[in-house]
Amino acid sequence: MTYLKSTLCVLFFLLIGMLHASALDDIVIADFEGADYGDWKVFGKAFGNAPAKGTLPNQMPVTGFEGEGLVNSFKPDDQAIGRLCSPEFVIERPFITFLIGGGESKKSLCLNLRVNRNIVRTATGTQRNQGGSEALHWGQWDVSDLAGQSATIEIVDQHDGGWGHITVDQIVQTDQPVLVTKKRTLTVNQRYLNLPVKTGAPKKWVRLLHNDKLLREFDIELCAEEPSFWVFLDLEAFRNETLTLTLDKVERGESKDFDAITLSDSLIGGENMYQEKDRPQFHFSSKRGWLNDPNGLVYHKGEYHLFYQHNPYGWHWGNMTWGHAVSKDLVHWNELGDAIHPDELGTIFSGSAIIDAANTTGFKTGEEDPLVCIYTYAGDLTPWSKDQPFTQGLAYSNDRGRTFTVYEGNPVQGNIRGANRDPKVFWHAESEQWVVALYTDQSFIAFLTSPDLKSWELQSELKCFDECPELFSLPVDGDKNNQKWVLYGGKCDYYIGDFDGKKFTPETEVLHLNRGNCFYASQTYNNIPEQDGRRVLIGWGQVEFPGMPFNQMMDFPVVLTLRSTNEGIRMFAEPVEEISNLYAKEHRWMDETLKEDNNPLTELQGDLFDIEAELEVCKAKTIEFLIRGIPVSYDVATQTLTCQGMHAALPADDGRIHLRLLVDRASIEIFGNHGYVYMPMKARFDDKNKTLALSAKDGAAHIQTLALRELNSAWKTAE
């Protein structure tokens, strides 16, 4: 039937071609130049009763449409919703082209083609964040397989947030595509392929091939005209090879964006690397592009490996790839480049890494123990991985993580349920096997076992948390003979309980570690030497950096411990001691009265600090740090710590509290009572305000000790 249908489609267009000696005339479905929408049906309020005449009140200038009228659902503002539906028509040309702009949402803000009431094609604008552009850009659908069928078009606005509108114009049936694919041949005699990115520009698919074998595929907001920044693709692995570069969705006759892609031995715009105005100075951020979940945290031969979710080609989430950096002290990082790339099974979502000292995988080829990464293949998110489910795969390195080989037997674990993902793997010594904690959708965490990481067996499931599971044991109060297991999910809500190698049994209610506003999807390090004994955690610091060539950061590494409290056993978090490697100048105060009008920090200014205070609350009602204008307050009566709307209980101990603040350019990480409270906070500081203050209000308090350490930038001494 598929062959017959395809043949009939070909015959249909051949017949039309025979009837017309020259190119077929375009069929205009709608140009929206009339006084109203004509036969189109209007639902809701978003589209009004007639096409807009360009830009609407309070809207940025709308450009790129043809004539005087267009569909513009910025009516009366982004809160209005509705639909606009065409009359039925017959598909008589192989392409439908259109101009489209506005927000990006494939479900709630889109242009749809329906056949037999089913959505068979869809398109959206490109805008998601503040700023951006109201320009309309060409889009198209190849509808040659739908020839002769009746169809309708609907324009949907069911989105009421920011960029909650859509603009559409000039919907036409045509035999000439408006967007084409461009090709270039590259001889790789320089290391980097530099690509210009303009945030908000239409996305295009770039592909890199070698002898017709697809090597890389990614979408990118490619634009050579006043780019926001440049990104790069490291081609060192392909030096002296001849590669083919292709670019989809290029307007016919236009090639300036494609031609601007440049081979070079340096990064365009890289001369100011790590010194950008808003760059965090002791929190890890990637050289270029988007960053989220930390992945594959593992220690090996003096190096802490940090893999992470990375979009190397844009400021927003997408093109999920494993970025990679290493550090000898958890403070100074050397970015090695992307380690694991999307392929035909999917983009590379989160996972973990281990050192296979016993070579259970059989991956070892030399003297080095294999470093094995275990990750999720997120299928069906790219054309390359179309119709693939979410599965789990392996990649390994025999040179301490400098190069990786993707296991040819992938996937090692098929789909269990839905978007199952984020495998955390560790060696369970008691049962002498690998254990995998895997999120299996619908708030279930599954526990699987494996002798070799290649064959997995499902042992149990627990309905508890969403995403990014973590499972490990810790001694209680430092007693190695009293170990408890901790299970947590993406938000770091956690259980304390028991794990027998197959099943986790909670012994507490759900507890909470993170009390801040920039923490998610954390992971702890595997393989830290027993003599060290630390359980080190890094979380994703959810901080946006508008106007920068990078976006998001990691929270500062912390050490986790289990300690007895009046409420029971709880998990504490404190900064790793290696932060002292950044100490520049220290200021100290001891045994001083603290009042509202005697700020001990009045002479100090800056943006990088480690501040630590032991305070007696005495008769004060409030004790407050003011960090570059942002208050961190302690309410003595309610024993509550507050910063920017986030709150945490902090009981005074014999009338005393301990506070520690790590201050970077975009964050304040707050630790109360030696890690009882962990509150990482994003902070949008006033560039002109570098002042600091500490005061007691409505009564005096007492400074037992106060230490303020000015910090050097980690990047100035990075490898």
Side-chain angles (χ1 to χ4, degrees):
M1 286 295 291
T2 301
Y3 174 79
L4 178 60
K5 183 177 180 180
S6 177
T7 302
L8 289 173
C9 291
V10 172
L11 289 173
F12 179 86
F13 287 117
L14 284 174
L15 178 61
I16 293 177
M18 293 170 63
L19 295 175
H20 296 265
S22 59
L24 296 171
D25 292 335
D26 290 346
I27 301 173
V28 177
I29 297 173
D31 60 11
F32 303 108
E33 294 299 311
D36 55 30
Y37 287 119
D39 293 336
W40 286 59
K41 294 182 179 179
V42 181
F43 302 89
K45 297 181 179 180
F47 300 100
N49 297 317
K53 298 300 180 183
T55 306
L56 294 172
N58 301 317
Q59 187 177 25
M60 291 188 296
V62 178
T63 61
F65 61 97
E66 295 190 353
E68 296 183 356
L70 76 158
V71 172
N72 187 346
S73 69
F74 196 81
K75 289 186 177 182
D77 52 34
D78 273 352
Q79 302 304 308
I81 61 174
R83 286 189 307 132
L84 188 60
C85 300
S86 79
E88 194 170 71
F89 62 92
V90 176
I91 296 175
E92 301 179 55
R93 300 290 186 271
F95 296 96
I96 295 177
T97 63
F98 45 84
L99 287 162
I100 189 167
E104 180 183 32
S105 176
K106 290 183 178 180
K107 292 184 178 180
S108 60
L109 205 61
C110 50
L111 176 72
N112 295 326
L113 178 69
R114 288 184 178 270
V115 173
N116 296 325
R117 298 185 179 180
N118 297 316
I119 297 175
V120 293
R121 302 287 189 272
T122 192
T124 77
T126 61
Q127 305 302 315
R128 287 186 289 182
N129 292 80
Q130 287 183 342
S133 168
E134 288 282 11
L136 280 73
H137 298 279
W138 283 108
Q140 69 186 30
W141 296 317
D142 183 337
V143 292
S144 55
D145 61 321
L146 302 173
Q149 297 193 53
S150 295
T152 58
I153 286 176
E154 65 175 355
I155 306 173
V156 178
D157 181 350
Q158 295 294 322
H159 191 96
D160 60 2
W163 280 107
H165 63 276
I166 186 171
T167 50
V168 175
D169 194 21
Q170 207 64 22
I171 307 173
V172 176
Q173 292 198 61
T174 179
D175 65 349
Q176 295 295 316
V178 71
L179 302 176
V180 297
T181 297
K182 296 283 186 178
K183 290 187 178 182
R184 280 173 58 184
T185 299
L186 303 172
T187 298
V188 183
N189 51 18
Q190 293 172 294
R191 179 167 184 174
Y192 299 109
L193 193 67
N194 288 278
L195 304 98
V197 169
K198 189 169 186 176
T199 303
K203 290 182 179 179
K204 301 177 176 70
W205 282 100
V206 171
R207 295 179 177 86
L208 191 69
L209 300 95
H210 180 237
N211 294 333
D212 295 326
K213 178 183 178 182
L214 188 55
L215 302 174
R216 302 282 186 268
E217 178 187 71
F218 53 90
D219 62 11
I220 182 171
E221 297 165 308
L222 190 72
C223 185
E225 185 177 349
E226 298 181 357
S228 305
F229 54 92
W230 289 73
V231 298
F232 64 91
L233 178 57
D234 190 339
L235 297 180
E236 186 62 29
F238 309 108
R239 187 173 283 274
N240 299 321
E241 299 284 353
T242 298
L243 307 178
T244 300
L245 188 71
T246 72
L247 178 67
D248 285 358
K249 298 183 179 179
V250 183
E251 290 188 24
R252 194 169 53 243
E254 291 289 330
S255 62
K256 62 180 184 298
D257 297 335
F258 196 39
D259 293 342
I261 299 173
T262 304
L263 271 173
S264 173
D265 278 324
S266 60
L267 308 180
I268 296 178
E271 62 276 359
N272 195 37
M273 191 73 70
Y274 300 123
Q275 305 307 312
E276 300 93 344
K277 180 177 71 72
D278 293 333
R279 174 79 71 170
Q281 294 297 288
F282 62 92
H283 291 77
F284 177 80
S285 56
S286 193
K287 290 179 180 178
R288 289 290 181 266
W290 167 277
L291 166 158
N292 58 289
D293 307 4
N295 298 155
L297 302 191
V298 67
Y299 179 86
H300 184 50
K301 290 193 172 181
E303 291 182 322
Y304 294 91
H305 291 261
L306 167 63
F307 300 89
Y308 54 93
Q309 292 285 279
H310 188 209
N311 180 3
Y313 313 111
W315 195 80
H316 298 291
W317 183 95
N319 299 310
M320 286 293 97
T321 301
W322 270 30
H324 187 199
V326 293
S327 173
K328 294 179 180 179
D329 66 355
L330 290 165
V331 175
H332 300 91
W333 294 96
N334 177 24
E335 188 172 335
L336 297 181
D338 294 321
I340 308 173
H341 302 268
D343 60 28
E344 67 275 10
L345 292 177
T347 57
I348 313 302
F349 272 25
S350 292
S352 52
I354 56 91
I355 303 301
D356 189 11
N359 196 28
T360 62
T361 58
F363 291 153
K364 188 172 184 177
T365 57
E367 296 299 317
E368 289 285 343
D369 292 332
L371 190 165
V372 183
C373 297
I374 307 94
Y375 53 86
T376 294
Y377 275 116
D380 209 27
L381 295 182
T382 65
W384 198 0
S385 63
K386 184 174 174 57
D387 299 326
Q388 291 290 334
F390 275 51
T391 58
Q392 317 306 318
L394 306 177
Y396 60 93
S397 172
N398 282 306
D399 58 4
R400 297 183 301 110
R402 269 52 186 182
T403 61
F404 283 86
T405 300
V406 175
Y407 175 49
E408 62 183 10
N410 283 339
V412 293
Q413 174 62 51
N415 185 272
I416 297 174
R417 180 171 55 239
N420 52 194
R421 59 189 181 273
D422 311 333
K424 176 59 192 281
V425 175
F426 64 94
W427 180 255
H428 189 253
E430 292 78 5
S431 60
E432 297 185 334
Q433 60 187 339
W434 298 107
V435 169
V436 185
L438 182 73
Y439 175 60
T440 56
D441 224 356
Q442 302 172 19
S443 299
F444 278 92
I445 304 298
F447 304 97
L448 305 96
T449 57
S450 174
D452 57 5
L453 292 180
K454 297 175 181 178
S455 58
W456 298 10
E457 183 178 356
L458 178 62
Q459 300 293 348
S460 64
E461 283 189 279
L462 179 68
K463 189 172 179 62
C464 51
F465 305 122
D466 290 334
E467 299 190 311
C468 302
E470 178 68 278
L471 178 64
F472 53 83
S473 66
L474 284 174
V476 179
D477 299 323
D479 182 359
K480 293 183 179 179
N481 295 316
N482 182 18
Q483 298 273 342
K484 292 291 183 182
W485 285 84
V486 176
L487 172 69
Y488 69 72
K491 296 178 182 178
C492 214
D493 296 338
Y494 68 97
Y495 287 119
I496 297 172
D498 180 67
F499 181 68
D500 63 5
K502 295 183 178 181
K503 180 181 179 181
F504 180 84
T505 304
E507 296 175 354
T508 65
E509 61 184 3
V510 176
L511 305 171
H512 310 281
L513 178 68
N514 160 50
R515 299 290 184 174
N517 67 3
C518 67
F519 177 97
Y520 194 70
S522 63
Q523 191 174 116
T524 68
Y525 270 90
N526 281 333
N527 206 50
I528 289 182
E530 186 175 351
Q531 60 268 27
D532 184 324
R534 296 186 298 178
R535 176 62 60 172
V536 177
L537 171 145
I538 297 178
W540 164 29
Q542 298 164 301
V543 183
E544 287 195 343
F545 293 94
M548 294 292 103
F550 60 90
N551 194 13
Q552 311 292 305
M553 70 178 197
M554 294 299 173
D555 290 320
F556 193 76
V558 296
V559 176
L560 301 179
T561 53
L562 288 180
R563 305 180 200 173
S564 299
T565 72
N566 292 334
E567 298 87 24
I569 300 171
R570 295 293 184 268
M571 192 157 61
F572 284 58
E574 295 187 272
V576 295
E577 61 187 17
E578 288 91 338
I579 193 174
S580 62
N581 293 345
L582 298 178
Y583 288 174
K585 186 176 181 180
E586 184 174 84
H587 309 268
R588 279 191 169 272
W589 298 261
M590 295 183 66
D591 194 23
E592 291 189 14
T593 299
L594 183 64
K595 296 181 180 180
E596 189 164 359
D597 58 355
N598 67 332
N599 171 25
L601 309 180
T602 189
E603 299 297 324
L604 297 170
Q605 293 194 10
D607 57 6
L608 307 177
F609 298 106
D610 179 0
I611 305 170
E612 192 169 4
E614 186 84 23
L615 304 167
E616 288 186 77
V617 299
C618 300
K619 295 183 179 180
K621 289 187 177 180
T622 304
I623 297 173
E624 182 177 273
F625 278 99
L626 197 61
I627 307 299
R628 300 184 59 189
I630 294 180
V632 179
S633 301
Y634 181 72
D635 186 295
V636 175
T638 63
Q639 300 188 95
T640 302
L641 188 64
T642 301
C643 181
Q644 298 187 105
M646 305 301 290
H647 309 275
L650 185 67
D653 183 6
D654 196 23
R656 297 182 182 182
I657 60 170
H658 181 275
L659 293 177
R660 188 170 182 182
L661 313 180
L662 303 187
V663 182
D664 205 341
R665 289 183 177 174
S667 62
I668 307 171
E669 294 199 52
I670 305 166
F671 302 84
N673 288 356
H674 304 282
Y676 175 83
V677 167
Y678 173 42
M679 185 184 283
M681 299 293 300
K682 58 186 171 186
R684 187 63 62 191
F685 295 113
D686 180 349
D687 290 340
K688 297 179 181 179
N689 187 350
K690 299 292 181 71
T691 63
L692 302 172
L694 172 62
S695 64
K697 298 181 179 180
D698 297 322
H702 189 77
I703 298 173
Q704 290 290 111
T705 60
L706 172 62
L708 184 145
R709 297 111 176 180
E710 299 179 38
L711 302 181
N712 290 318
S713 168
W715 298 120
K716 291 179 181 178
T717 54
E719 294 181 10

